[in-house]
Amino acid sequence: MSERASGMSAQGFPFSAVVGHDDLRLALVLNAVHDGVGGVLVRGEKGTAKSTAVRALASLLPAVEVATGCRFGCDPAAPDPACPDGPHPGGGTARPARLVELPVGATEDRLVGSLDLERALSAGERAYQPGLLAEAHRGVLYVDEVNLLHDHLVDLLLDAAAMGRVHVERDGVSVSHASRFLLVGTMNPEEGELRPQLLDRFGLTVEVKAAREVGTRVEVVRRRMAFEADPAAFGAAWAAADAAVAAQVVDARARLGSVRLSDRELARIAFVCARFDVDGMRADLVIARTATAHAAWRGADAVAEEDVRVAARLALPHRRRRDPFDEPGIDEKDLDEALRDAEDYLGPEDPKDPDGPDDPDDDPDGGGEPDPTPDDAPTGDAGAPEEGSAEHRATEQRATEQRAAEDPAPGNSPGAAPAGASGTSDAPNEPPGAPEPDGTEGGAQAAERPAATGEGTAIPLGERARLDRAQTRRFTIPGVGEGTPGRRSRARVDTGRIVRPTDGAPRRAADLHLLATIAAAAPFQVERGRSGPGLRLHRADLRGAVREGREGNLVLFVVDASGSMAARKRMQTVSGAILALLRDAYQRRDKVGLVTFRSAGAELVLPPTTSVPTAQVRLAAMRTGGRTPLADGLLLARRTLAGERVRDPRRRPLVVLVTDGRATVAARPGGDPVADACRAAGLLAADGAHTVVVDCESGFVRLGLAGRVAAAAGAPVITMDELTVADLTAAASA
């Protein structure tokens, strides 16, 4: 709990008094040393002192020189030539570096600034009021619960972080000013993930967890209670330790420019990034800057392998994710192996040339010819790469790929049984085609084998690979809603672009349409007796703003999991559809849920969620078999939507019902199962839920029972033959 939330003293918790969290404190310090590292994202469970450590960072930052009278924090030695408060007369004053907090509920005008209403209405002047991005210039911008920040604010942060400037074009104001800041965010992954664009903007990431050792937990409680009892005395007790850390930061900043980053270490960084297959070049730059900062922090004159290792451990975890379903993080063993392979690639270091590996032209034998590649090496033991080396592993991998291309996998031969099978279709514990270390699938045999057997349903590897390549089409709900801000369907929201003014006064001050209000009042200023500056307003002049943006929706799948012939195929396909939709939903702020019905009842397998890891775990636990209680599934869907309507009343739902319509269990004793299902579907329609029905009926004789259910729900119908990931999302858009 922060000092503001506790209502106690404004005295902050000392940085040095934070127990544990060594990586978190190191990441924050390295950013304080080098402002080009790019910030820190702190991921972790609730109650782990994330916010406490970040707020304590401000006490370690050196003071900054600010041009006199500049509201934008310009450096008097190098002022921004386009500063709205310029030109600056010269001279400056020192002030502490600012830690500016961006609340999750902040408005756009508070973030980027807007027209100064006081001066506009009182003096008739068009002046600009700076926002939080101006205050954070040359300081720290802290966003608590950054994953819950509205998307339009995230877009503004992305622009400012990328360009180092803020461009404001609103309310008749056109302003551009510098905004370079250290971006620090905290988040709880249980509440949803970040968009990839924002995730990549954070230079480093740290995962924090509460200690499980009794002694550590006791010390955490002891220090916190001592701080709450007397914040001033507790701060004084740790003042010397904080002062020492601050002095070390100042010394490291002064040393930073003289730290040498050799070509050899640059090659090591590039090798590690290539080995982990990260996207783009930002990881290489971040690791290079972080390693330089770490070398300066420990007082070294040159970057060494240990600095690269620390930098990679902090910069790569959130960049390794190839898919939203991948767990963030980095295996220490994988990193150590990559560094060993990098050392093999670089070769022995020449003490005469500390800047990098030997020049291949400087051959001691005078031949000047490069070493033969593995393909050119002679056969046999002579000249072969040493076993266990990077060259040896590369040769083996190429040979394996060549054999796979020339010889078909046993699983693809007509009539051949998968290797390791014993007369059944169950997969062995370790399939021969297991993924290689680089993440590729090891053959067609593994691509076609289900990842799990028994009652639990999982997606085959081949299906998963196909879904990874598929692009999910965006679906929308017709009309204009008033839902939670997102990136899906059209909606009237509290934040977004202004489409038109209203004829009457706004419901709240934040919805005031300033230009329309001034335009309405301007023709009557003479008859109202205005003789000087200022604008005379009447209530009838006030105009509100109608804003339109995008909303997030709730997509609830209701799936027949009974033991029919096509149940397994149906569950695999629907699971794939949900996975594909979740990849898109976590970026568009949608919720996705899953209800299955089988045997004697229905089950909420996946409660509506935006948390991708939680969804993956729940989907893996789906079961099939038994009779078909279709009415129970629809009624459970209705109750689920009713509960969500209480929690989030403005989020519009879309129900995707996957069934053949052959209900075999009635919702009430002695009732007709199909009639009960139609009645339940009608109740969903009466509640205002939009529904799509996927007809899974197969065979030569088709009863069309799913069509009866669809008619009761007022829903379109598509057949099982048309059911693919693309078709399902297309049907939802219809």
Side-chain angles (χ1 to χ4, degrees):
M1 184 168 60
S2 68
E3 295 77 26
R4 298 179 184 181
S6 63
M8 294 183 303
S9 169
Q11 172 75 37
F13 196 88
F15 186 83
S16 303
V18 176
V19 180
H21 298 332
D22 295 336
D23 283 349
L24 170 58
R25 292 188 293 170
L26 178 61
L28 293 173
V29 164
L30 294 180
N31 274 273
V33 171
H34 195 324
D35 58 5
V37 169
V40 184
L41 174 64
V42 187
R43 299 167 51 95
E45 56 197 24
K46 49 189 175 294
T48 49
K50 300 186 298 292
S51 301
T52 299
V54 173
R55 292 190 176 103
L57 174 67
S59 63
L60 305 180
L61 301 178
V64 295
E65 284 285 329
V66 179
T68 303
C70 180
R71 297 172 296 169
F72 300 88
C74 284
D75 185 353
D80 178 16
C83 178
D85 287 351
H88 304 294
T93 56
R95 63 164 172 80
R98 290 174 175 170
L99 176 71
V100 178
E101 297 190 34
L102 175 61
V104 172
T107 58
E108 180 180 342
D109 55 348
R110 185 67 189 98
L111 179 63
V112 301
S114 63
L115 185 68
D116 191 330
L117 287 177
E118 182 178 355
R119 294 177 61 181
L121 296 178
S122 62
E125 298 178 4
R126 187 170 61 185
Y128 172 68
Q129 179 67 39
L132 294 177
L133 290 178
E135 295 181 23
H137 180 44
R138 304 176 65 198
V140 180
L141 181 63
Y142 170 48
V143 187
D144 193 12
E145 304 294 347
V146 63
N147 53 325
L148 303 181
L149 197 65
H150 288 311
D151 283 343
H152 70 288
L153 299 183
V154 171
D155 294 336
L156 294 172
L157 277 181
L158 288 176
D159 291 340
M163 299 184 295
R165 298 196 67 82
V166 176
H167 298 280
V168 182
E169 298 288 345
R170 53 174 298 155
D171 299 335
V173 175
S174 179
V175 171
S176 174
H177 64 82
S179 180
R180 293 183 295 274
F181 48 83
L182 165 60
L183 181 61
V184 181
T186 59
M187 61 173 285
N188 184 350
E190 296 177 355
E191 297 174 340
E193 292 289 344
L194 278 176
R195 289 169 52 193
Q197 295 90 337
L198 182 58
L199 189 64
D200 191 50
R201 293 297 179 188
F202 288 98
L204 311 179
T205 185
V206 178
E207 193 85 20
V208 295
K209 296 181 180 179
R212 298 298 183 257
E213 294 80 9
V214 174
T216 303
R217 298 177 74 95
V218 168
E219 184 61 22
V220 170
V221 176
R222 181 185 294 118
R223 292 188 186 183
R224 186 66 201 186
M225 293 182 70
F227 172 73
E228 293 175 355
D230 191 346
F234 186 83
W238 289 92
D242 271 8
V245 176
Q248 191 174 356
V249 169
V250 173
D251 180 70
R253 280 191 173 187
R255 184 189 297 272
L256 186 64
S258 61
V259 173
R260 181 169 52 84
L261 178 61
S262 65
D263 289 344
R264 181 182 181 85
E265 298 309 319
L266 277 176
R268 191 190 311 275
I269 293 170
F271 186 95
V272 171
C273 291
R275 167 61 62 88
F276 283 106
D277 195 25
V278 297
D279 292 334
M281 296 299 297
R282 184 171 283 118
D284 303 63
L285 290 170
V286 169
I287 293 177
R289 293 165 181 164
T290 306
T292 304
H294 189 264
W297 171 253
R298 63 184 181 88
D301 296 327
V303 173
E305 181 180 354
E306 62 178 297
D307 303 309
V308 175
R309 188 185 189 284
V310 170
R313 185 164 52 83
L314 296 175
L316 290 181
H318 60 301
R319 294 185 167 90
R320 287 197 63 195
R321 301 178 67 186
R322 316 301 302 174
D323 186 271
F325 293 87
D326 296 337
E327 288 290 336
I330 186 170
D331 192 333
E332 298 279 348
K333 294 180 180 179
D334 292 343
L335 179 57
D336 290 337
E337 182 181 356
L339 289 171
R340 286 195 300 269
D341 292 346
E343 190 68 22
D344 294 340
Y345 170 81
L346 295 172
E349 185 174 3
D350 185 1
K352 299 179 181 179
D353 184 15
D355 286 337
D358 294 337
D359 190 341
D361 293 334
D362 296 337
D363 185 40
D365 297 330
E369 293 294 329
D371 293 335
T373 63
D375 292 337
D376 298 332
T379 59
D381 295 334
E386 182 180 356
E387 186 175 357
S389 65
E391 291 82 3
H392 182 269
R393 282 193 292 271
T395 304
E396 291 295 325
Q397 182 176 349
R398 282 195 294 270
T400 301
E401 293 173 353
Q402 183 176 0
R403 287 194 299 269
E406 294 175 354
D407 300 328
N412 290 343
S413 301
S422 303
T424 67
S425 61
D426 291 349
N429 292 333
E430 296 293 336
E436 297 294 334
D438 62 352
T440 58
E441 300 294 340
Q445 177 184 352
E448 297 301 327
R449 183 184 294 111
T453 58
E455 277 198 319
T457 300
I459 302 174
L461 296 178
E463 179 77 2
R464 180 65 179 270
R466 184 178 70 83
L467 292 171
D468 288 340
R469 295 190 299 268
Q471 294 293 328
T472 303
R473 295 170 57 180
R474 187 184 78 181
F475 58 87
T476 59
I477 293 180
V480 180
E482 296 182 355
T484 303
R487 300 175 64 85
R488 182 70 60 183
S489 304
R490 291 177 56 201
R492 293 189 178 91
V493 293
D494 294 335
T495 56
R497 63 187 183 92
I498 298 176
V499 294
R500 66 178 186 276
T502 64
D503 293 332
R507 293 176 299 174
R508 56 176 190 162
D511 293 332
L512 179 68
H513 196 299
L514 182 61
L515 295 181
T517 299
I518 294 176
F524 305 102
Q525 295 305 296
V526 175
E527 64 183 72
R528 292 176 185 175
R530 175 183 172 182
S531 59
L535 193 67
R536 295 195 173 186
L537 295 176
H538 290 174
R539 183 174 182 81
D541 301 328
L542 299 180
R543 298 291 184 270
V546 176
R547 301 176 183 271
E548 186 173 297
R550 294 282 177 178
E551 66 176 359
N553 298 126
L554 167 60
V555 183
L556 183 62
F557 284 82
V558 183
V559 181
D560 183 354
S562 59
S564 60
M565 235 168 74
R568 186 172 184 82
K569 178 181 177 182
R570 179 164 67 251
M571 294 301 293
Q572 291 172 359
T573 307
V574 173
S575 298
I578 298 173
L579 290 173
L581 284 171
L582 274 170
R583 289 187 185 90
D584 188 59
Y586 98 105
Q587 295 178 349
R588 300 187 184 277
R589 297 299 186 266
D590 287 323
K591 283 186 175 181
V592 178
L594 173 64
V595 171
T596 62
F597 50 93
R598 58 182 289 271
S599 189
E603 179 185 3
L604 181 61
V605 175
L606 176 65
T609 181
T610 58
S611 176
V612 175
T614 303
Q616 183 187 22
V617 172
R618 299 296 177 87
L619 288 172
M622 286 193 303
R623 295 180 176 274
T624 60
R627 296 188 295 172
T628 311
L630 174 55
D632 288 343
L634 293 173
L635 292 175
L636 178 57
R638 185 181 182 227
R639 291 195 298 270
T640 302
L641 295 181
E644 284 297 309
R645 197 175 297 116
V646 173
R647 298 186 189 95
D648 196 354
R650 299 189 302 174
R651 192 183 291 268
R652 294 189 291 168
L654 172 69
V655 177
V656 179
L657 173 61
V658 184
T659 182
D660 56 8
R662 297 183 179 183
T664 59
V665 179
R668 50 186 179 172
D672 180 1
V674 177
D676 285 355
C678 292
R679 187 177 297 108
L683 292 175
L684 270 176
D687 290 343
H690 297 272
T691 305
V692 173
V693 175
V694 181
D695 187 358
C696 303
E697 192 174 25
S698 59
F700 294 103
V701 179
R702 303 198 177 191
L703 303 179
L705 298 178
R708 290 178 55 186
V709 178
V717 182
I718 65 173
T719 64
M720 185 64 180
D721 295 335
E722 301 168 339
L723 182 58
T724 65
V725 173
D727 291 334
L728 183 57
T729 53
S733 66

